[in-house]
Every structure is written in structure tokens, then in C-alpha cells.
Amino acid sequence: MSNDPKSGKPDTKADANAPSPNPASSNFLRGIIDSDLASGKHTQRKDQSGQPLPTVITRFPPEPNGYLHIGHAKSICLNFGLARDYAGRCNLRFDDTNPTKEEQEYVDTIIDSVQWLGFDWQDQGGELRFASDYFDQFYAMAEYLITAGHAYVDSQSADDMAKNRGNFSEPGKNSPFRDRPAEESLDLFRRMKAGEFKDGEHIVRAKIDMASPNMNMRDPAIYRIRHAHHHRTGDKWCVYPMYDFAHPLEDAIENVTHSICTLEFQDHRPFYDWVLERLAEGGFFTKPLPNQYEFARLNLTYAITSKRKLLQLVEENIVDGWDDPRMPTIVGIRRRGYTPEAIQLFADRIGVAKADSWIDMSILEGALRDDLDEKAPRAIAVLRPLKLIIDNFPEGETVECSAPVHPHHPERGVRTFPISKELWIEQEDYMEVPSKGYFRLFPGNKVRLRYGYVVECTGADKDADGNITAVHCTYFPDSKSGTEGANNYKVKGNLHWVSAAHALEAEVRMYDRLFSDPHPDAGGKDFKQALNPNSKEVITAYLEQGMSSAKPDDKFQFERHGYFVADRVDSKDGKPVFNRAVTLKDGWGK
Ligand code: ATP
Ligand code: MG
């Protein structure tokens, strides 16, 4: 673990790199690693320079073609978490073999998101890698496969190739080019590389079995022509490896032991093994070779994680960008107020399974509540303000009140704020005619103004339309919280408030779930029909005056309301804008 104070890593790093204390996080992958350790499968391996290699090497291999989302966070916590817990290493590797979709912007945000989550690929010698750095090696290995008779250049049209592939009930047909001499294929491949052909004119295919029941083994393509500019290698290449060919090679080059991917790659595993076996025979790799293991991807209710659909939300301005706090992107949930610890807690709680299932959004939200309950300082916010006038309070006078920063942590001190003649309270805290069981303000009732005095309601002012414009009360000067007299008053209501003359007026964005349907895009549904019309409401609220010093990303529990974060984008010095991260209780359950 690197301790470089200048590395600018979030201070959560220490937490992320401590062994997971949660035994529930044991899973089938740990079982596999444990038995590999017991059998000594990966011991005594050395890297190219003769240095001993750790017995567990994983990688997180994003394609830099979009923003990471909560599903990727699961994979990050899994891969980096295994490396951490087994004293191994985990590379952050950009799988940038498809030049037309990839951009530097995505590389930057992905690096930022992984670091923010609290993981460091440098631990135990892990590295930041780019598959594009291996293009020369991939190319040489493809040439070897051609020379050894394990691959050939196919010159069929794309249509013929698709037709001859067969389908699930019918075997495929051999390409007429399948048995062309290796020298001819090699010559064509070199000319493909030299730029002599147009996209799609030729393709390199592995020579396996056109009758295989596994479609992925019917001579899969391994190299194709793409006259495209690559964000890192520029115009050096016009042939690019296919994902299924490149991925096992990347793993083997990096000495990965456990290559963890999502279930849809299960049928690709035979090819993964085939290609590594052939290259081991050719002396490119030594055994033990990396093994691929599949786990269930995260499916989160009330969310979508398809990159294409997320892009649609952004492009059609349904949300305010990739980092809109309602987005399931890492930049979005971070801006929403999520902490790295909450996301790790979530990943621990959901575990890792071998069968697909749905995880309820409330588990993610619950992890945030549990993390912030301990951490977040308390503050008072009046979100739907109504004036309360204490008629017998001396004009122009203030009295200081105090409250703990955190109710369970007296050592974190107190915060102070003034009470004065005019206050803001919540509209819902007054009723002219109380309903049954209502014990807040109504004429004749006494309540405590939290951390302040007991008051008795005397009535309210109304405008011409009958709307309540201000509530009136009188206070009992000997009833102040924390004084002896306080105990002489027994009241049921305990209301929060801020002093009108001192409160900070602030924009508060009341975020809620983006979708009101738990499965917004299931079964071919149009996810735009499932949007929650109330997922964002912008209000002007009155906050405890100390909130003016809140810095971007500072999180608070606004008493009675929930957890809020000072927006990292729009907050200004002395003028924070707050986002609701999550309510205090789950209102979606029933
Ligand atoms: P694409 O369609 O572009 O391939 P992708 O979501 O698979 O999208 P990648 O960049 O290929 O994106 O993913 C990087 C890693 O994250 C992969 O190892 C992938 O298995 C994992 N991953 C992606 N989505 C999820 C998910 N919902 N749950 C768990 N892991 C995921
Ligand atoms: Mg992918």
C-alpha cells in the first residue's frame, strides 16, 4: 500500500484497503481462490524480470466508452477487494481495442471514479494499463496462430460469413478460404496491416470448429480491418483485435490469475481457454494460465445501467448531465451525496452470486443511511417555511441556543444558533383545526421549539384567500432547553425552527428516484414512460446559519428530513446549494 501523502488519494483509502470485516462478503470466488491457494496453483510464479508474483492478480477492465455506473462499482469492489484481502494486486486496465467508440474523456473520468471509490491499483505493484499498449504483441500472436495453422484470413463477404455461421439448430459451413495456405493468409494479414484493404474486405479467424454447438467456437474473428483513429495509438494501426481475442491475451500478459467477468461471457470461456492454450504451446505464455470466472451482474431496481440508455437520458436532457444526482453513474451518485464507504458497504451486503437477480434500490439507500448516520453532523433546515412570531419575545433581542453536532458523539461538540422574535417553521407544523393525534402547533397547544423554549400557540394570520401567512405564539422564558426550568413543562410536540433574521436562505434540490417503476426497462418497456415525475424539486429553504460555511461535498443530516450534501458543482463560497441524498426512512417500501 502506498502512503504517498502527495498522491491526493481520498482519505477513505485506508478504509478501502483494510480487510473486509464483513464475513457475509465471503463468496464463491473466495472459495475458488482459497482452493487455488491450498493447492499452490499460483505460487512460485515470476514476472518477466524474475520478481516473484502474488498468488492473486485481478484486473478491472473497463472499455473507455462511457461513464462508470453502480454496476461497475460492484465489479471494482470485487476485483480490488479480492486483491486487497489476499495481498494480491489488481490492475486498472483500459480495454481500448475498439477505436471508434473510445475517448480520453472517458479514461479520465474512469480513473477518477476508481480512485474516488478508494482503490489504488499501485498496491502490491498493480498498474494502470492500456490494452492498446499490447497491440504489437497481439499482432505477433495473431501471426503466430496463422503460421501454426490455428487461424486464417477469411475473404468471404460479411453476408456470406453470417449465412455460413449456421444457428443454434444448424451447424455452420466451412469458409472456402479456410484451407488456404498459411503463407497466403500471412501475406494477406500483413497487407491488411499495411492498409491495402478496405474495412471488411478480409478478416482473421481462429480455425476451430464450424459445427461446434457453441457459436463462439465457430471460427470466431480475431482481427479486423478498421481504418479509424485511436485515442492513444493515433493512425498507427488499421487492424484491430476483437474483444474475445484481446481479452485473454491482456490477462495473460498481465499475469492475471482470476479473470472475473459477468455471466454473459460464460459461453465465451471455451474460446478464452482455447486461445491461451494455443499461445502457451507457441511459447508466448507459461502455465498456469489465467482462468475466467463469471458472476451475476448487478441489476438494481428503479434504475437503468445500460450505457446506451443512460446516454439517451443525457442527450435528450431528461437529466442534467452524466453527473445528475439522479443518475446511477458513479459521478452522479457521488454528487448525490453517496460516500465511497456506503458503496463498499452496499457491495459487501449484496455479495457475489452466480445467478442473476434484482437488488432493491432500498439496499443501496440503506447503506448510505447507515454510513451517514454515524458521520453526518446534524443541522436544522426548514424546507417549507411558515413564519412563527413569538409575540412576547423582545423585539431585536436574540438568545443563543445550542445543540450537539452529533447526538451519539458528545465529543464532537455543539453548534450554536440564535432564537429571536420571528422564526421559520415547517408549514406542516401548524394546523388551525388539529386532526386526531396531532400534537404540533394549533391554537391553545404548547410545544417545544427544539433546543429553545416552550411556546403556546395563540392563533394565525390569514390573507384574503384564507391562506395562513403567519402563526402567533407566546413563549415561557423559564422553559429554555438545558436549564432547570425546562423540566417543568411537559409537551408532546418538539419542532425544529430557524431564526428568520439569521437563517441562511439556500437552494435545496429535493431528489428522489428517477423512475417510479422498479423495472423501468424490463421486457422491452420504454423506460421513458417509467420516469418519476417528482424525481427533482427545487425549493428555497431556510437553514441553520452555520450552514453558510458548508463546503462542496459536506454532508449533513437535516433533522427530521434526511441526509443532504452541499452540491459539488453549484455551491459557492458562503452560498451552498444542497442536494437531498436520501430521506431518513424508506418511503418506497410499501
Ligand atoms: P459495454 O456494453 O460497453 O461492454 P459494460 O457495462 O460491460 O458495457 P465495460 O466497460 O465493458 O462496460 O465493463 C467493465 C467491467 O465492469 C466488466 O468487467 C464488466 O463485467 C463489469 N460490469 C459492467 N456492468 C456491470 C454490472 N451491471 N454489474 C457488475 N459488473 C459489471
Ligand atoms: Mg463490456
Side-chain angles (χ1 to χ4, degrees), residues 29 92 99-100 119 166 253 273 278 289 299 312 379 383 386 398 417 445 467 470 473 524 527 574 590:
L29 290 167
L92 171 57
T100 53
F119 294 105
I253 290 168
D273 293 336
R278 299 293 81 73
L289 297 164
N299 296 311
Q312 210 178 330
L383 301 182
L386 172 63
T398 60
F417 39 86
N445 195 38
N467 300 312
C473 65
F527 62 95
K590 298 267 135 50

Side-chain angles (χ1 to χ4, degrees), residues 280-297:
E281 288 163 9
F284 288 92
F285 302 122
T286 51
K287 294 190 176 183
L289 297 164
N291 282 114
Q292 174 183 303
Y293 301 97
E294 306 88 20
F295 73 102
R297 67 190 299 109

Side-chain angles (χ1 to χ4, degrees), residues 23 105 120 133 244 257 282 287 330 335 485 487 517 548 553 562 565:
E105 175 197 348
D120 186 352
D133 288 342
D244 274 350
T257 54
K287 294 190 176 183
I330 298 190
R335 191 171 171 192
N487 295 331
D517 182 328
S548 63
D553 287 331
V565 62

